[in-house]
Amino acid sequence: MKISAQEEFGLRCLLQLARADATGELLTLAQIAGREGISVANAGKLMWILNKAGLVQSQRGIKGGYHLARPASEIHLNQVIRVLDGERVDSHCKSYAGVLDACVHTGDCGIRPVIVELHQIVDNALSEITLSQLLDTEANVDATLHQIQITKQRTEQRA
Amino acid sequence: MKISAQEEFGLRCLLQLARADATGELLTLAQIAGREGISVANAGKLMWILNKAGLVQSQRGIKGGYHLARPASEIHLNQVIRVLDGERVDSHCKSYAGVLDACVHTGDCGIRPVIVELHQIVDNALSEITLSQLLDTEANVDATLHQIQITKQRTEQRA
DNA sequence: TTTAAAGTTGACTTTAAAGTAAGGTTTCGC
DNA sequence: GCGAAACCTTACTTTAAAGTCAACTTTAAA
């Protein structure tokens, strides 16, 4: 139940675009990849997925790049995660029918609704968060870290 | 952000034990594996993990088997998932320090708190659910499916 | 005390995800 | 138009997780 590498870096790239969105500038693959510490090829793959899903828009040719398809405040995390996850698999249980009487449909079983419910809980939690909210959180964390740095420096000065 | 095979089948095995807990009987690896449609070796691996984590207890020797270490109502899903997940990785971002000024600690970066927050949201949601609650949900689903079967039969009888 | 049932452990094989690479296509500036 | 910049697409390689196998250890009953 942990976040996958594709989900994490895809989300990071979207946050890059969300920051750039304020100034209206486009970001190229090289810029995105460089800032995230991943290869241009990998960034291209992620952006292709996000583009196909309609979360970002691309401008081809020289002076091209990527930008968000919608305002950051209208992009919810459950949409992002669902897109980057590929096809959502509700259960790993295959051909379970017949083992228990509770199984009434081929490839289905009584426990599967439980798994589905878990995914819905996660989905609901993620649907409450937007990209712009993440940017706010990030800003607060940065301020906190900066404060820690200052406190640390003062402590060292006293010593 | 999907459930892994190990998490799903580990949870399934725990539910088996939770059902057996009512009658006080022990379940052998062969029984658990057979009911879940997985190999005995795989079931043994899962139960070893759960045993090491203190969620189940084993009785060795002839007439042996497994049972829950605590009542099903006291086992929360976040504990189960955390155990079956192995070491929780908060972020896939390695050696990110230096790429952005926001990185103040080795191997840490400004976006990581966002990932941590996501995991906490999931963890909180899972901590609200116990094994016994899942059994209740399952019973309701079974009843619903049974009702559908009856309705279907009546419809067929009319035709 | 012997024996068989049952759990334990580590090595091996398989499989799916992640990342990489290369060529193709589109667009803008000159 | 011509070329360079930038995105698009498919195929390949690498790597980590999952599952399997086989030998070992422990336990309890006869």
Side-chain angles (χ1 to χ4, degrees):
Chain A
M1 209 90 202
K2 59 183 68 165
I3 197 167
S4 72
Q6 181 154 298
E7 290 169 325
E8 174 174 341
F9 287 115
L11 179 58
R12 285 172 185 274
C13 292
L14 278 181
L15 286 173
Q16 293 281 356
L17 294 183
R19 285 191 208 96
D21 206 38
T23 64
E25 65 174 330
L26 299 182
L27 291 186
T28 67
L29 282 183
Q31 289 176 312
I32 295 172
R35 295 181 186 182
E36 293 301 342
I38 61 178
S39 71
V40 174
N42 197 8
K45 185 180 180 182
L46 293 174
M47 297 311 290
W48 176 73
I49 293 173
L50 294 171
N51 189 4
K52 198 177 58 172
L55 289 177
V56 305
Q57 285 178 350
S58 65
Q59 177 74 30
R60 300 183 79 149
I62 203 169
K63 298 271 184 181
Y66 288 95
H67 64 93
L68 293 182
R70 300 196 295 273
S73 60
E74 295 178 14
I75 297 180
H76 296 257
L77 289 202
N78 61 330
Q79 304 166 332
V80 177
I81 295 298
R82 191 176 300 160
V83 162
L84 291 168
D85 232 354
E87 292 225 347
R88 177 164 290 276
V89 177
D90 289 328
S91 170
H92 295 86
C93 165
K94 314 289 184 195
S95 66
Y96 190 61
V99 179
L100 280 184
D101 292 333
C103 291
V104 291
H105 297 111
T106 303
D108 205 5
C109 66
I111 298 178
R112 185 166 295 181
V114 169
I115 307 290
V116 173
E117 188 182 352
L118 285 186
H119 281 136
Q120 284 178 346
I121 289 172
V122 172
D123 199 77
N124 285 340
L126 292 176
S127 69
E128 300 290 327
I129 312 176
T130 66
L131 281 189
S132 53
Q133 285 175 327
L134 285 193
L135 285 185
D136 292 343
T137 302
E138 190 182 31
N140 290 335
V141 170
D142 281 350
T144 304
L145 290 177
H146 190 236
Q147 194 61 40
I148 291 173
Q149 283 292 90
I150 293 175
T151 307
K152 193 176 167 189
Q153 287 173 3
R154 285 178 182 166
T155 306
E156 289 168 351
Q157 284 172 357
R158 277 193 218 107
Chain B
M1 209 90 201
K2 61 182 68 165
I3 197 168
S4 73
Q6 181 155 299
E7 290 169 326
E8 174 175 340
F9 287 115
L11 179 57
R12 285 172 185 275
C13 292
L14 278 181
L15 285 174
Q16 292 282 356
L17 294 184
R19 286 192 208 95
D21 207 37
T23 62
E25 65 174 329
L26 300 182
L27 292 185
T28 68
L29 281 183
Q31 288 175 313
I32 296 171
R35 294 182 186 181
E36 292 302 341
I38 60 179
S39 70
V40 173
N42 196 11
K45 185 182 180 182
L46 292 173
M47 297 311 291
W48 176 73
I49 294 173
L50 294 171
N51 190 3
K52 197 178 58 172
L55 289 177
V56 306
Q57 286 177 349
S58 65
Q59 178 73 29
R60 301 184 78 147
I62 202 167
K63 299 270 184 183
Y66 288 95
H67 65 95
L68 294 182
R70 301 195 295 273
S73 58
E74 296 177 14
I75 297 180
H76 297 257
L77 288 201
N78 61 329
Q79 304 166 332
V80 176
I81 296 298
R82 190 176 301 158
V83 162
L84 291 168
D85 234 352
E87 291 226 347
R88 178 163 291 275
V89 177
D90 290 327
S91 170
H92 295 85
C93 166
K94 313 288 185 196
S95 65
Y96 190 61
V99 178
L100 281 183
D101 293 334
C103 291
V104 292
H105 296 111
T106 304
D108 205 4
C109 66
I111 298 178
R112 184 166 296 182
V114 168
I115 307 289
V116 173
E117 188 181 351
L118 285 185
H119 280 137
Q120 285 177 346
I121 289 171
V122 173
D123 199 77
N124 286 339
L126 292 178
S127 69
E128 301 290 327
I129 312 175
T130 65
L131 281 189
S132 54
Q133 285 175 326
L134 284 193
L135 286 185
D136 292 343
T137 303
E138 189 184 33
N140 289 336
V141 170
D142 280 350
T144 304
L145 290 176
H146 189 237
Q147 193 63 40
I148 291 173
Q149 282 291 91
I150 293 174
T151 307
K152 193 177 167 190
Q153 286 174 1
R154 286 179 183 166
T155 307
E156 288 170 351
Q157 284 174 357
R158 276 194 219 108

